[in-house]
Amino acid sequence: MSFIRNILNSRTDSDGNFFLKLKDILGFKPKSKSLYIKAFTHRSMNMKDKKGNAINYERLEFVGDAMLSSVIAAYLYEQVPHGDEGYLTKMRSKVVSRQHLNELGKDLNLIDLVQSRIPKSNFGNNIHGNLFEALVGAIYLDKGYKFCERFIYKRVIYPYVDIETLEGKVISYKSLLIEWCQKEKNTFDYEVYEDTGKDELKHFSVRLSINKKVVSKARATSKKKAEEKASKRAFFAFQKQMTKLI
Amino acid sequence: MSFIRNILNSRTDSDGNFFLKLKDILGFKPKSKSLYIKAFTHRSMNMKDKKGNAINYERLEFVGDAMLSSVIAAYLYEQVPHGDEGYLTKMRSKVVSRQHLNELGKDLNLIDLVQSRIPKSNFGNNIHGNLFEALVGAIYLDKGYKFCERFIYKRVIYPYVDIETLEGKVISYKSLLIEWCQKEKNTFDYEVYEDTGKDELKHFSVRLSINKKVVSKARATSKKKAEEKASKRAFFAFQKQMTKLI
């Protein structure tokens, strides 16, 4: 116990609002704080419990990955009664793809909560998805399946999972977004600028505004890709209104 | 509803004790009977619901597979605090291996409950595991995660999952069984006989008796394999007493 308290204290010292930020993401108060500390501890911290077992988020990823698979499986089973086993497997793998999990983790800024001895800029892109999985694992172990399911619905299914999109019926998010803006009499603007940053490859950044308000940003190696990415993000934000178009 | 009633009736006519047998396997009374009928309907029956969606166990396998993965993941996470992500993944894949699922389904005689237009003798070996997965899926959809978890503990984890065995510390079940018999002053006998049956390959069958009571049977392409298989089955039956030896 005193060990856990020490970690808690080190957290509190170094990052006073860890649990505040966390509560904001979770939408509930965590019961077992040590689980969430584990979910945001990188292996470079080299932490161990009394028995010498490593304390970091990697084992929690395994649990979170399994819970995501189950919840999405049951959701797709109910939602797509015509889909056979192969279809359901394919659809699930789209929802829990590495790329998608990374987006989910990035949108929640989970990387801000990590304790690590490695500079955060040195992490690869997969850190975002890994942290998201670990967080889901911690929620399951802390609060049980029902709670974990609710979190996945709130953070993955409601905002991001649309069967029509997954089926590839949406070819271009940009054209979908323009169509929607025209129909709803909204103005829109893609502000694109070259942005090399520290990368060797030339990058483009884009700010998409609807009715003069910035609704999404994105960065990619071509103008077209950056615009598509920003449109996709805006699509998710306005999903309910926009899916009526499809 | 009348459609479901028709299926129920056809079940009742053709196999009066379907739900009796099922209750025996489940250890509880099913709520949504149609789910279990689906779990034991082969695609050759060509059944469809009012909307034209196929009624057979294949989609339920997808759900059951996910639930098995989750429950085993959480179990291993708790049981093996020293195991890293790779270890946990490997251990789980042993528990839910095709071969193991087939054994589980076979031990419960699930094939007896199937409705099919194809003769049961024509099914491959995987039917046993597929039916087991479908049954687990039906339980989840019928009674929720907690119930499903309890079933998996009862039918998979308690009787079959032993970490030491999974880690490969048991090299030979036969020697383990002999050691245990000698220690406990039990007599044992492997009765082996050649048994070609309908197979092209020569097969051996073995009946293993402990204290003159047959405790397991097995069949394989060599005497040694058949003895080992029978010993393994006996091991699972006597697991609690025998694991003290390891």
Side-chain angles (χ1 to χ4, degrees):
Chain A
M1 266 316 287
S2 72
F3 179 72
I4 295 294
R5 218 174 298 127
N6 285 342
I7 309 175
L8 273 169
N9 289 342
S10 86
R11 265 291 178 192
T12 318
D13 294 345
S14 69
D15 193 348
N17 51 8
F18 174 76
F19 282 108
L20 270 178
K21 280 188 189 169
L22 188 65
K23 209 185 137 192
D24 213 43
I25 292 167
L26 296 175
F28 59 85
K29 217 175 141 186
K31 212 159 61 183
S32 165
K33 290 188 171 180
S34 63
L35 276 168
Y36 299 91
I37 287 169
K38 196 185 270 185
F40 291 101
T41 300
H42 188 259
R43 66 179 304 138
S44 62
M45 294 300 287
N46 221 350
M47 291 227 279
K48 293 207 188 307
D49 66 14
K50 274 182 191 165
K51 290 179 178 166
N53 297 318
I55 298 181
N56 63 55
Y57 59 72
E58 294 175 16
R59 281 161 46 84
L60 286 171
E61 279 180 68
F62 172 71
V63 178
D65 168 77
M67 296 305 151
L68 278 160
S69 289
S70 285
V71 172
I72 308 293
Y75 171 80
L76 290 172
Y77 178 91
E78 301 280 9
Q79 285 295 307
V80 197
H82 63 271
D84 66 14
E85 218 187 334
Y87 172 96
L88 296 172
T89 306
K90 204 172 106 197
M91 286 298 118
R92 179 175 59 186
S93 72
K94 287 190 183 186
V95 179
V96 295
S97 70
R98 185 52 34 203
Q99 191 201 339
H100 192 201
L101 293 179
N102 285 341
E103 279 177 29
L104 288 165
K106 211 179 266 177
D107 286 352
L108 293 174
N109 277 320
L110 298 184
I111 202 167
D112 282 0
L113 301 175
V114 173
Q115 275 208 326
S116 160
R117 291 204 199 281
I118 296 176
K120 291 181 185 180
S121 55
N122 286 14
F123 288 131
N125 205 33
N126 287 349
I127 180 92
H128 306 290
N130 294 344
L131 290 174
F132 187 78
E133 285 181 332
L135 178 61
V136 170
I139 295 169
Y140 169 76
L141 294 165
D142 184 35
K143 306 280 274 183
Y145 192 82
K146 271 277 146 212
F147 240 90
C148 182
E149 184 181 49
R150 225 174 294 153
F151 180 81
I152 294 169
Y153 265 78
K154 187 178 155 195
R155 291 292 180 190
V156 187
I157 294 177
Y158 292 145
Y160 289 100
V161 178
D162 177 72
I163 306 294
E164 311 254 338
T165 314
L166 289 173
E167 281 182 339
K169 289 186 187 160
V170 178
I171 306 299
S172 153
Y173 285 94
K174 190 180 169 189
S175 58
L176 190 69
L177 191 121
I178 293 174
E179 195 187 336
W180 176 73
C181 284
Q182 287 168 340
K183 202 180 155 217
E184 299 291 321
K185 316 257 183 275
N186 295 322
T187 63
F188 62 90
D189 178 47
Y190 289 89
E191 188 192 344
V192 190
Y193 52 96
E194 218 171 283
D195 152 34
T196 43
K198 291 171 198 154
D199 308 304
E200 279 180 34
L201 265 173
K202 199 198 248 186
H203 270 77
F204 295 85
S205 282
V206 64
R207 258 194 297 270
L208 167 58
S209 306
I210 294 182
N211 295 335
K212 299 197 189 297
K213 205 186 138 197
V214 177
V215 292
S216 64
K217 292 176 191 172
R219 192 166 175 273
T221 48
S222 78
K223 275 188 196 183
K224 202 180 159 190
K225 276 187 195 162
E227 286 183 344
E228 185 59 15
K229 219 163 149 184
S231 308
K232 191 176 170 191
R233 290 187 174 161
F235 172 83
F236 287 136
F238 296 100
Q239 196 173 16
K240 274 192 189 147
Q241 295 100 301
M242 289 179 70
T243 43
K244 285 180 203 150
L245 279 180
I246 305 178
Chain B
M1 265 315 287
S2 71
F3 180 71
I4 295 292
R5 218 174 297 129
N6 285 343
I7 309 175
L8 273 169
N9 289 343
S10 85
R11 266 290 178 193
T12 317
D13 295 345
S14 67
D15 192 348
N17 52 8
F18 174 78
F19 283 107
L20 271 176
K21 281 187 188 169
L22 188 66
K23 209 185 137 192
D24 213 43
I25 291 167
L26 295 175
F28 59 85
K29 218 175 140 186
K31 211 159 62 184
S32 165
K33 291 187 171 181
S34 62
L35 275 167
Y36 299 91
I37 287 169
K38 194 184 271 186
F40 291 101
T41 299
H42 188 258
R43 65 179 303 139
S44 62
M45 295 300 289
N46 222 350
M47 293 227 278
K48 294 208 189 307
D49 67 14
K50 275 182 191 166
K51 290 180 180 165
N53 298 318
I55 298 181
N56 63 54
Y57 60 71
E58 294 175 16
R59 280 161 47 84
L60 286 171
E61 280 179 69
F62 173 71
V63 178
D65 169 76
M67 297 304 151
L68 278 160
S69 289
S70 285
V71 171
I72 308 291
Y75 171 80
L76 290 173
Y77 178 90
E78 301 279 9
Q79 284 296 307
V80 198
H82 62 272
D84 65 15
E85 218 188 336
Y87 172 97
L88 297 171
T89 306
K90 204 172 108 197
M91 287 298 117
R92 179 176 59 187
S93 72
K94 286 190 182 186
V95 179
V96 295
S97 71
R98 187 49 37 203
Q99 190 200 338
H100 193 202
L101 293 179
N102 285 339
E103 280 177 29
L104 288 165
K106 211 180 266 177
D107 286 351
L108 292 174
N109 278 320
L110 297 183
I111 202 168
D112 282 1
L113 302 175
V114 172
Q115 274 209 326
S116 160
R117 292 203 200 281
I118 296 177
K120 290 181 187 180
S121 55
N122 286 14
F123 287 132
N125 204 34
N126 287 348
I127 180 94
H128 305 290
N130 293 345
L131 290 174
F132 187 78
E133 286 181 333
L135 179 60
V136 170
I139 295 170
Y140 169 77
L141 294 165
D142 185 33
K143 306 279 277 184
Y145 192 80
K146 271 276 146 213
F147 240 90
C148 183
E149 183 180 50
R150 227 174 292 153
F151 180 81
I152 294 170
Y153 266 79
K154 187 178 155 196
R155 291 292 179 190
V156 187
I157 293 178
Y158 293 145
Y160 289 99
V161 178
D162 177 73
I163 306 295
E164 311 252 340
T165 314
L166 289 173
E167 282 181 338
K169 289 186 188 158
V170 177
I171 306 300
S172 154
Y173 285 93
K174 192 182 169 188
S175 58
L176 190 69
L177 191 122
I178 294 174
E179 195 188 336
W180 176 73
C181 284
Q182 286 169 341
K183 202 181 156 216
E184 300 288 322
K185 314 258 184 274
N186 295 321
T187 63
F188 63 89
D189 179 46
Y190 289 89
E191 190 192 343
V192 189
Y193 52 97
E194 218 170 281
D195 152 34
T196 42
K198 291 171 199 154
D199 309 304
E200 281 180 33
L201 266 173
K202 199 198 252 184
H203 271 77
F204 295 86
S205 283
V206 63
R207 259 193 297 268
L208 168 57
S209 306
I210 294 182
N211 296 334
K212 298 197 189 299
K213 208 187 136 196
V214 176
V215 292
S216 63
K217 293 176 189 172
R219 193 167 177 270
T221 48
S222 79
K223 275 188 195 181
K224 203 180 157 188
K225 275 188 196 162
E227 286 182 344
E228 184 60 17
K229 219 164 149 184
S231 308
K232 190 176 172 191
R233 288 186 175 162
F235 172 84
F236 288 136
F238 296 100
Q239 195 173 17
K240 274 192 189 148
Q241 293 101 302
M242 289 180 69
T243 42
K244 286 178 201 151
L245 278 180
I246 304 176

